[in-house]
Amino acid sequence: MKMSSMMGDVAEVLITSEQITEKVREMGERITRDYAGERLLLVGVLRGAVVVMGDLMRCIDLPCEIDFMDISSYGSGTSSSGVVRILKDLEEDITGKHVLIVEDIIDTGLTLSYLRRSLMTRKPASLEICALLSKPTRRRVELDVKYLGFEVPDEFVVGYGLDYAGAYRNLPDICVLKKEVFDGTPA
Ligand code: IMP
Ligand code: MG
């Protein structure tokens, strides 16, 4: 797929890569201050959080480890099924560690609410959530998000790690796709 054809599917750029870079740097600075003197374990939720994880970890000036979990509440479509499955568990034992979950986007909140409860049973020293994006109008469960990048409207977004049917994760900006893309008809 050529870059030009991928951008051709984009209806609107919601958040530019420059805005993301600035926000991620701010979040990294806050995290660095809040966890000063501690070791941190960043837990990325595959696969969407891979891009923000890579940028965020380099903005954190602390000894830190990373680990990943794959947890799924979606098929390849755009609406939540409410069903959450652990597809890949952590490699690390998190007992007694300061754990920060890194997520790309919070939609209904069901995925992170489940993940949080599940990880709490392993007795971490602390457990907080960092999400680049949130769709507050879609929330179905209460969720305490300590570090949040941007709130976005109730629209399906792609880019900077976020996908539609596996594609568009490598777009540098956060974008809304043209309607035709979801209909399967050519743009
Ligand atoms: P939740 O359980 O409804 O909060 O769903 C969160 C997960 O759904 C995220 O980690 C994403 O993988 C996916 N998701 C939710 N909204 C979007 C979106 O607009 N674009 C891409 N993925 C999304
Ligand atoms: Mg995800």
Side-chain angles (χ1 to χ4, degrees):
M1 190 193 282
K2 285 184 301 181
M3 192 69 175
S4 57
S5 70
M6 201 167 50
M7 277 311 287
D9 291 343
V10 168
E12 189 192 347
V13 173
L14 275 188
I15 308 168
T16 66
S17 65
E18 289 80 11
Q19 291 173 300
I20 298 169
T21 301
E22 184 51 38
K23 187 67 78 175
V24 169
R25 185 177 312 144
E26 283 171 22
M27 290 198 294
E29 284 169 2
R30 272 185 59 204
I31 292 166
T32 302
R33 280 198 303 274
D34 292 352
Y35 291 88
E38 308 287 356
R39 277 186 85 81
L40 188 58
L41 175 64
L42 300 174
V43 169
V45 184
L46 293 171
R47 284 169 259 178
V50 160
V51 179
V52 63
M53 177 73 114
D55 284 344
L56 180 67
M57 64 187 288
R58 287 176 291 175
C59 296
I60 297 175
D61 186 14
L62 293 172
C64 101
E65 294 173 78
I66 61 168
D67 202 347
F68 291 94
M69 268 185 111
D70 197 355
I71 181 167
S72 173
S73 64
Y74 282 11
S76 55
T78 62
S79 65
S80 178
S81 66
V83 179
V84 177
R85 283 192 301 152
I86 291 184
L87 304 175
K88 182 212 166 290
D89 206 340
L90 296 173
E91 306 293 328
E92 304 295 326
D93 179 8
I94 63 168
T95 309
K97 292 186 183 169
H98 292 286
V99 177
L100 181 60
I101 300 172
V102 180
E103 178 60 305
D104 52 359
I105 187 165
I106 305 170
D107 185 38
T108 63
L110 290 168
T111 307
L112 276 194
S113 151
Y114 172 86
L115 186 58
R116 182 174 227 292
R117 260 181 289 133
S118 160
L119 294 183
M120 277 309 282
T121 65
R122 304 181 193 183
K123 307 258 185 290
S126 68
L127 182 61
E128 299 291 349
I129 294 170
C130 174
L132 181 70
L133 305 174
S134 171
K135 292 180 188 169
T137 59
R138 296 262 310 162
R139 205 57 41 81
R140 283 171 56 191
V141 286
E142 211 180 298
L143 195 66
D144 184 17
V145 183
K146 188 158 187 192
Y147 307 97
L148 176 65
F150 303 93
E151 291 190 342
V152 291
D154 180 12
E155 276 186 279
F156 197 80
V157 294
V158 298
Y160 198 76
L162 293 125
D163 74 306
Y164 170 61
Y168 307 103
R169 292 191 196 276
N170 54 327
L171 280 173
D173 309 307
I174 304 284
C175 304
V176 177
L177 294 173
K178 289 178 180 165
K179 280 196 185 62
E180 307 90 273
V181 178
F182 301 109
D183 301 337
T185 51

